[in-house]
Amino acid sequence: MKRLLLLLILFLGVIVITPMLIGEKGYILISIGDSAIETTVITAIITLALCFFALALIIKFFRGGLSFSFKAWNKIAFASRRRALKDFNKGIAAYVLGDYKQAEHLLAKSADASNFEHIAYLVAADAAQKQALKPNTDHYLGLLEQTTSTFKDAGLEAVLIKIKLLIGQQNYQQARTVIDEHHKHIGHDVRLLRLEIELSLIEQRFDHVIKKLHAAQKQKSISAQTITLWQQQAFYGVFNQQIKQHDSHPLLEYWQQLPKKIKQTETVVLAYCQVLAENQVNEPLAKLLLPIIKKGNAISLLKAVRTLPITQDDSLMAAAQKHLHNEPHNATWLSLVAHFATASQQWQLAEKAFNSLVNLEDKQYDKTDLLVFSQVLEHQGHLDKANQVLRKIHA
């Protein structure tokens, strides 16, 4: 290429200098139709030379000889997109590392140009929510509605994130809309089933949750603790709705209509007893608890009974005292008698039972016992002893 340029410069130099030496420029007349163009020989030769040079450059370009190739053009034309992808990757990394402020900034900045607009706004919204920036989260969720991503493009995972964000923003109506749009996947994806149950509990659709619990219990990925918690919330909610919206009679009828297996579930029994005790429906409560206390083999259930707000418990107290008479050093019956005595304001009996409990060999009491014991002592004016008992809770 350098040799060609040198030859061209030399050729042009000869053309320019030669007419000057001979004192005659020379003219050319070009006639095209009715038009005529007059020019000097020098000008015509230079024009032809430049055309030749331009033609050579074009040939070189198409043969790949120019350093300014398509690759270079691509590098300049798509520089903004590469920067956006770089910011997107950095934003995802920042999110994983827990730097939610930086993640939010980078993902929001890169969303439009990175071609990952949907997921960028989703993760940015979640990062904002983790910073308790509700306006920012709402803003990104609003931008999500303007994206053109379909379910096929974004996938179910994007839907799950969106539902979680909406629930976290307490936008339950919109979350319900999104779940209902994809309700056909609930039976196939346990993650969507979990969100359906959690949202239904918030919406107080307790009957609906009870129906879904059967499907949830079949899922190995849902822990027994989670199932128990949902069961407690759902049944307590539906029992409470029955008595608040009507009275105790519909509640009792609802209980009787439950399957036997459900009525023998400890969580359901406790939820039912809790509602009965809170509303002072004493006779059905005693009728249900008395056989449990007489059998005395459901230890975890007996411990849970201690926390029920029972006001009239003479028959229950008598059944517990009968066990205690036969087993005076049994921690379960000492604790139960002490709590029943506290509920009926028999302070001296309660103090005596608690004292016997805390003096047993090995530690057989818990924080529930100590807290109520301190209240018993406080009611009797034994403030120093009450403080000593409370200190044991934090020991």
Side-chain angles (χ1 to χ4, degrees), residues 353-362 365 369-370 373 392:
F354 276 126
N355 274 323
S356 299
L357 175 63
V358 298
N359 289 322
L360 291 174
E361 292 184 3
D362 300 326
Y365 54 85
D369 293 317
L370 293 177
F373 187 18
K392 286 186 178 182

Side-chain angles (χ1 to χ4, degrees), residues 100 104 125-137 168-169:
Y100 300 121
E104 178 193 353
D126 192 58
Q129 190 173 85
K130 283 181 168 58
Q131 299 174 80
L133 300 175
K134 188 177 186 299
N136 291 21
T137 306
Q169 294 298 100

Side-chain angles (χ1 to χ4, degrees), residues 228 264-267 269-270 289 292 296-308 332-333 335-336 366:
T228 299
Q264 292 176 342
T265 305
E266 184 176 307
T267 306
V269 171
L270 282 173
L289 289 179
I292 296 172
N297 53 5
I299 303 301
S300 61
L301 185 55
L302 291 172
K303 286 185 176 181
V305 167
R306 298 174 304 168
T307 61
L308 295 176
T332 299
W333 302 118
S335 177
L336 199 57
D366 57 21

Side-chain angles (χ1 to χ4, degrees), residues 373-390:
F373 187 18
S374 68
Q375 293 171 356
V376 170
L377 292 171
E378 184 180 351
H379 273 287
Q380 297 182 91
H382 306 317
L383 300 181
D384 291 338
K385 290 183 179 179
N387 289 330
Q388 290 176 8
V389 172
L390 285 175

Side-chain angles (χ1 to χ4, degrees), residues 149-162:
S149 295
T150 63
F151 175 79
K152 185 177 180 180
D153 297 330
L156 183 60
E157 287 72 17
V159 175
L160 296 172
I161 296 172
K162 185 176 181 180

Side-chain angles (χ1 to χ4, degrees), residues 114-370:
S114 66
N115 283 357
F116 296 106
E117 188 177 15
H118 195 89
I119 192 63
Y121 283 138
L122 274 176
V123 182
D126 192 58
Q129 190 173 85
K130 283 181 168 58
Q131 299 174 80
L133 300 175
K134 188 177 186 299
N136 291 21
T137 306
D138 289 336
H139 173 67
Y140 298 132
L141 288 173
L143 291 174
L144 272 175
E145 298 300 319
Q146 301 173 20
T147 62
T148 57
S149 295
T150 63
F151 175 79
K152 185 177 180 180
D153 297 330
L156 183 60
E157 287 72 17
V159 175
L160 296 172
I161 296 172
K162 185 176 181 180
I163 295 168
K164 284 186 175 182
L165 288 169
L166 290 168
I167 293 175
Q169 294 298 100
Q170 299 182 358
N171 191 345
Y172 304 129
Q173 184 177 358
Q174 184 63 27
R176 169 54 58 195
T177 300
V178 177
I179 287 182
D180 289 346
E181 286 176 358
H182 304 89
H183 70 278
K184 64 182 180 181
H185 297 283
I186 292 176
H188 305 285
D189 194 287
V190 64
R191 298 168 297 178
L192 193 56
L193 175 62
R194 291 179 68 107
L195 291 173
E196 167 68 19
I197 291 175
E198 290 172 3
L199 181 58
S200 296
L201 286 171
I202 294 170
E203 296 170 326
Q204 300 186 2
R205 298 171 62 198
F206 301 116
D207 281 318
H208 180 68
V209 174
I210 291 171
K211 293 176 183 177
K212 292 295 181 184
L213 281 175
H214 181 68
Q217 288 169 335
K218 296 180 180 179
Q219 303 295 332
K220 294 182 179 180
S221 59
I222 302 179
S223 66
Q225 292 83 355
T226 300
I227 294 292
T228 299
L229 177 61
W230 288 343
Q231 199 173 48
Q232 189 275 329
Q233 292 175 334
F235 278 99
Y236 176 83
V238 77
F239 292 149
N240 203 43
Q241 279 182 345
Q242 289 288 330
I243 202 166
K244 296 298 183 185
Q245 294 175 3
H246 308 286
D247 54 36
S248 61
H249 295 293
L251 172 60
L252 299 175
E253 290 177 1
Y254 184 90
W255 172 260
Q256 292 301 326
Q257 292 171 2
L258 288 175
K260 185 178 180 181
K261 185 178 180 181
I262 296 293
K263 290 195 289 185
Q264 292 176 342
T265 305
E266 184 176 307
T267 306
V268 179
V269 171
L270 282 173
Y272 183 57
C273 291
Q274 183 75 29
V275 173
L276 292 175
E278 288 174 352
N279 293 275
Q280 299 183 10
V281 187
N282 297 312
E283 186 176 345
L285 176 61
K287 185 178 179 180
L288 179 62
L289 289 179
L290 195 55
I292 296 172
I293 295 175
K294 284 183 176 180
K295 289 181 181 179
N297 53 5
I299 303 301
S300 61
L301 185 55
L302 291 172
K303 286 185 176 181
V305 167
R306 298 174 304 168
T307 61
L308 295 176
I310 300 173
T311 53
Q312 296 180 11
D313 56 356
D314 293 342
S315 61
L316 303 179
M317 170 72 87
Q321 284 180 314
K322 185 176 180 180
H323 281 288
L324 185 60
H325 180 74
N326 296 326
E327 302 176 77
H329 300 294
N330 185 293
T332 299
W333 302 118
L334 281 170
S335 177
L336 199 57
V337 167
H339 283 273
F340 282 157
T342 302
S344 58
Q345 298 185 1
Q346 299 180 53
W347 307 118
Q348 291 183 349
L349 176 59
E351 182 182 359
K352 182 180 178 181
F354 276 126
N355 274 323
S356 299
L357 175 63
V358 298
N359 289 322
L360 291 174
E361 292 184 3
D362 300 326
K363 181 181 175 181
Q364 300 186 52
Y365 54 85
D366 57 21
K367 291 183 178 181
T368 301
D369 293 317
L370 293 177

